[in-house]
Amino acid sequence: MAIQTVRLFGDPVLSTAASAVVDFDKELRTLVQDLTETMLNAPGAGLAAPQIGVGLRVFVWDVDEELGHLINPVLDLSDDKQEGDEGCLSFPGLLYNTSRALRVVAKGFNMFGDPVQIEGSELLARAIQHETDHLDGILFIDRLDTALRKEAMKAIREAEWFNENGPIIRVSPHAGLY
Ligand code: ZN
């Protein structure tokens, strides 16, 4: 298992739709472990594979002290909505009110290829919708109303982590050691 670098807004991998998982193999189980470890280290309530640079339809969550993962999700959303602050590990320090469905039924697979169905409301429903959006290259700022999105873009441009010219490549501290 290894903690991976979380990609930040501006990295093209975050706006690219991910591919369905076909092989439920050892590499997939390592990916789920890496995602889980990276999320717990951040810490965050969820993490999707594109956020660590892997274009596969896989995400993990840590909500109400329950860890979970889902592969190739298909969502059924309630008409009832919830409002609440939402953030993203790819946008450090930014939180905005984001409207989401209150409940979700998510169908997909676990890392062994068994079909699973996850039912969630409130925070879990929010996490599942946020992470599934990542798999479609959609970011939470895309879900904000126009005025709030404008405010978010201004805050992003002013954020010390944001680089207009593309992602900041962090060099490993060991790279200078010969
Ligand atoms: Zn996110």
Side-chain angles (χ1 to χ4, degrees), residues 6-7 14 46-48 51 86-91 100 127 130-131 133-134 138-140:
V6 175
R7 306 298 183 92
L14 294 174
L47 192 65
Q51 290 181 280
E86 190 168 312
C88 178
L89 293 176
S90 298
F91 295 78
R100 296 285 186 182
H130 180 110
E131 302 312 332
D133 273 352
H134 272 302
I138 297 168
L139 299 167
F140 85 116

Side-chain angles (χ1 to χ4, degrees), residues 71-177:
I71 293 155
N72 298 346
V74 177
L75 305 191
D76 188 8
L77 304 177
S78 69
D79 291 332
D80 294 341
K81 301 287 185 198
Q82 58 174 319
E83 301 295 327
D85 277 351
E86 190 168 312
C88 178
L89 293 176
S90 298
F91 295 78
L94 301 182
L95 286 174
Y96 293 98
N97 181 71
T98 309
S99 182
R100 296 285 186 182
L102 179 60
R103 291 179 304 276
V104 60
V105 178
K107 288 181 183 164
F109 299 87
N110 68 17
M111 60 181 153
F112 304 103
D114 305 316
V116 291
Q117 180 168 310
I118 310 290
E119 293 181 33
S121 62
E122 300 182 21
L123 287 181
L124 180 56
R126 181 178 291 282
I128 288 172
Q129 289 167 81
H130 180 110
E131 302 312 332
T132 301
D133 273 352
H134 272 302
L135 307 184
D136 294 325
I138 297 168
L139 299 167
F140 85 116
I141 57 165
D142 301 324
R143 298 290 189 188
L144 304 179
D145 65 44
T146 311
L148 201 51
R149 190 172 197 282
K150 213 170 156 187
E151 188 185 319
M153 287 308 302
K154 184 169 182 288
I156 289 163
R157 283 193 300 270
E158 290 168 357
E160 60 86 18
W161 53 262
F162 182 65
N163 182 348
E164 298 265 10
N165 301 315
I168 298 163
I169 306 300
R170 289 208 171 75
V171 177
S172 154
H174 301 294
L177 300 173

Side-chain angles (χ1 to χ4, degrees), residues 52-65:
I52 60 167
V54 177
L56 289 173
R57 302 185 76 79
V58 180
F59 64 77
V60 299
W61 66 86
D62 178 17
V63 176
D64 300 332
E65 295 178 21

